[in-house]
């Protein structure tokens, strides 16, 4: 893996970026200070041990309740972001933090290991939806099998609205966010990007404004599709479609599972193409789909089989090419990424090479 730029001491890291009350962590030497609205600052010391291990110790009162948990989560996220080589982080909460320690264990944020009674593993921590998901308070939608166009599948939850995911990207020092697309706000973006010749070559959806109005309106109404607009620091740069594979045209071509998800993507703005940006948006998109429902174990895709560069890019990002097959409209490659691999191999971090897809469908 390429070296990941680490912000210098004194810079600030943003956590809970999808909420209206984000927390900020500032670093000065080995001292961290977490600030969040309505709570006293939380102070900690980050000590590096062996190459892949660290220790995070409270140096002041932990506070109580949700504020204490949020503050500690923010410190943990920033510690792993500033030190991506860490494979575990031992917590020292001192005396009187039994309730906080119990909450950490109950949520799977910390587990007991031979090295420390409270150890944070990044592959567990990055599955804590509340740090990045727009609505982490919603439980997994209860399962009920229904039929749609001859396909039996779980009933899907109501379509999301507003921001669904946000994460601060330290190597860019920008926040990436995904929000549910609307005709009122996003038709112009879609129309512009679909008429870009580089995008049209893959999507074949160039056309007039009314065509794109019908296209976007149809996707918003489709229960198995979620159209998203991606932004960096509030600037729209890409359009994503995520779908439940069971109801999708892809389903007949492989052994689909109920909660498999797939995606299509258009990076519409030239200034946001390239290695540093794809290393942020592609893993973040995968991360969102895996957080959105804990039952999702696989992310799938079906790029054109002849698009060798894109397939190499996806393989760099952890996807495996399963097979080649024929859609009615194209010869495609089935690619797949397992939940276990994404989290255990820490694929939310930048990949070793420079994948640069423009559009995928």
């Amino acid at each position: 893996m390429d070296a990941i730029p680490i912000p210098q001491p004194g810079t600030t890291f943003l956590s809970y970026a999808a909420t209206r009350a984000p927390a900020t962590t500032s670093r000065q030497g080995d001292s961290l200070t977490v600030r969040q609205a309505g709570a006293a600052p939380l102070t900690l010391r980050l000590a590096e041990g062996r190459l892949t291990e660290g220790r995070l110790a409270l140096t002041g009162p932990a506070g109580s309740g949700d504020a204490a948990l949020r503050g500690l989560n923010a410190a943990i996220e920033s510690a792993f972001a500033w030190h991506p080589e860490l494979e575990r982080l031992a917590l020292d909460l001192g005396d009187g933090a039994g309730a906080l320690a119990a909450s950490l264990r109950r949520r799977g944020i910390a587990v007991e290991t031979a090295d420390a009674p409270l150890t944070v593993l990044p592959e567990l921590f990055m599955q804590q939806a509340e740090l990045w998901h727009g609505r982490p308070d919603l439980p997994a939608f209860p399962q009920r099998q229904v039929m749609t166009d001859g396909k039996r599948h779980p009933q899907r939850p109501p379509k999301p609205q507003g921001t669904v995911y946000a994460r601060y990207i330290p190597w860019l020092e920008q926040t990436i966010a995904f929000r549910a697309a609307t005709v009122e706000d996003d038709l112009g973006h879609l129309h512009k990007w679909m008429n870009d010749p580089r995008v049209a070559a893959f999507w074949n959806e160039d056309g007039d404004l009314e065509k794109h109005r019908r296209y976007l309106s149809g996707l918003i109404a489709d229960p198995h599709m979620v159209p998203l607009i991606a932004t960096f620091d509030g600037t729209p740069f890409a359009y994503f479609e995520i779908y439940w594979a069971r109801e999708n045209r892809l389903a007949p071509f492989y052994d689909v599972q109920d909660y498999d998800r797939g995606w299509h993507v258009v990076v519409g703005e030239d200034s946001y193409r390239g290695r540093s940006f794809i290393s942020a948006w592609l893993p973040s998109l995968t991360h969102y789909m895996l957080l959105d429902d804990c039952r999702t174990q696989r992310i799938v895709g079906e790029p054109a089989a002849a698009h060798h560069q894109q397939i190499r890019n996806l393989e760099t990002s952890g996807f495996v090419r399963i097979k080649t097959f024929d859609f009615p409209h194209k010869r495609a490659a089935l690619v797949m990424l397992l939940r276990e691999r994404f989290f255990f191999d820490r694929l939310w971090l930048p990949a070793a090479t420079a994948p640069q897809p423009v559009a995928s469908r």
Side-chain angles (χ1 to χ4, degrees):
M1 180 177 293
D2 288 353
I4 300 169
I6 299 175
Q8 295 300 306
T11 56
T12 299
F13 191 92
L14 184 71
S15 297
Y16 293 96
T19 73
R20 295 182 179 179
T24 58
T25 303
S26 58
R27 174 180 175 177
Q28 187 65 44
D30 60 0
S31 296
L32 305 183
T33 302
V34 181
R35 293 180 172 85
Q36 53 183 323
L42 186 69
T43 59
L44 310 97
R45 187 173 303 279
L46 176 61
E48 299 176 59
R50 289 177 287 179
L51 181 62
T52 60
E53 298 179 6
R55 179 171 293 273
L56 189 62
L58 283 173
T59 56
S64 61
D66 289 343
L69 184 63
R70 281 172 54 91
L72 186 57
N73 277 340
I76 293 168
E77 183 186 9
S78 64
F80 280 132
W82 278 320
H83 294 278
E85 74 281 359
L86 293 179
E87 294 179 359
R88 59 185 59 212
L89 191 61
L91 300 181
D92 181 359
L93 304 184
D95 298 329
L100 180 57
S103 182
L104 294 172
R105 292 191 184 98
R106 187 167 55 247
R107 294 167 181 260
I109 297 170
V111 295
E112 184 172 356
T113 66
D115 297 319
L118 288 175
T119 301
V120 183
L121 304 176
E123 60 266 30
L124 292 180
F125 183 75
M126 290 299 290
Q127 296 184 64
Q128 304 296 321
E130 64 186 61
L131 278 102
W132 304 281
H133 198 285
R135 287 296 307 272
D137 56 311
L138 295 178
F141 198 74
Q143 189 172 45
R144 170 179 178 252
Q145 294 292 332
V146 296
M147 295 289 290
T148 302
D149 296 330
K151 303 182 183 75
R152 186 172 185 268
H153 62 88
Q155 184 171 342
R156 304 306 181 184
K159 302 290 276 290
Q161 297 181 348
T163 299
V164 299
Y165 176 95
R167 181 166 72 106
Y168 182 73
I169 307 298
W171 59 92
L172 295 176
E173 296 187 317
Q174 297 184 58
T175 298
I176 189 169
F178 309 142
R179 58 176 173 79
T182 67
V183 173
E184 294 77 14
D185 294 333
D186 302 310
L187 178 59
H189 301 307
L190 184 71
H191 178 62
K192 172 188 173 184
W193 296 337
M194 288 298 185
N195 283 309
D196 182 328
R198 297 173 68 182
V199 172
F202 293 99
W203 280 67
N204 297 313
E205 290 290 351
D206 48 323
D208 61 24
L209 194 65
E210 287 309 308
K211 173 182 177 178
H212 294 139
R213 186 189 303 277
R214 292 190 301 271
Y215 181 89
L216 183 55
S217 297
L219 290 175
I220 291 172
D222 186 338
H224 100 282
M225 300 287 294
V226 180
L228 300 173
I229 296 294
T231 65
F232 276 114
D233 282 351
T235 300
F237 75 94
Y239 167 75
F240 301 148
E241 294 172 358
I242 64 173
Y243 58 84
W244 297 104
R246 174 68 80 179
E247 299 99 275
N248 193 260
R249 65 187 180 186
L250 179 58
F253 295 94
Y254 81 109
D255 185 19
V256 65
Q257 296 179 0
D258 278 350
Y259 295 96
D260 288 355
R261 282 192 116 159
W263 53 269
H264 305 135
V265 58
V266 168
V267 176
E269 298 297 329
D270 287 342
S271 58
Y272 289 94
R273 296 183 173 121
R275 169 192 172 190
S276 60
F277 291 108
I278 193 176
S279 69
W281 68 253
L282 179 53
S284 294
L285 182 60
T286 301
H287 193 205
Y288 167 64
M289 288 187 282
L290 294 171
L291 293 181
D292 193 47
D293 194 314
C294 63
R295 295 167 292 192
T296 295
Q297 300 298 313
R298 306 188 299 187
I299 306 298
V300 295
E302 21 84 355
H307 198 341
H308 304 299
Q309 181 60 53
Q310 184 184 21
I311 293 171
R312 285 195 296 269
N313 295 340
L314 290 169
E315 289 173 339
T316 297
S317 301
F319 285 82
V320 174
R321 182 171 182 161
I322 305 298
K323 66 176 182 178
T324 301
F325 67 99
D326 288 320
F327 267 141
H329 65 292
K330 70 176 181 180
R331 171 156 285 197
L334 175 67
V335 297
M336 183 179 295
L337 175 60
L338 301 182
R339 181 187 194 92
E340 184 176 12
R341 184 178 185 199
F342 178 83
F343 288 111
F344 190 81
D345 288 354
R346 297 187 288 170
L347 295 180
W348 59 87
L349 295 173
T353 56
Q356 299 182 40
V358 174
S360 167
R361 195 180 186 194

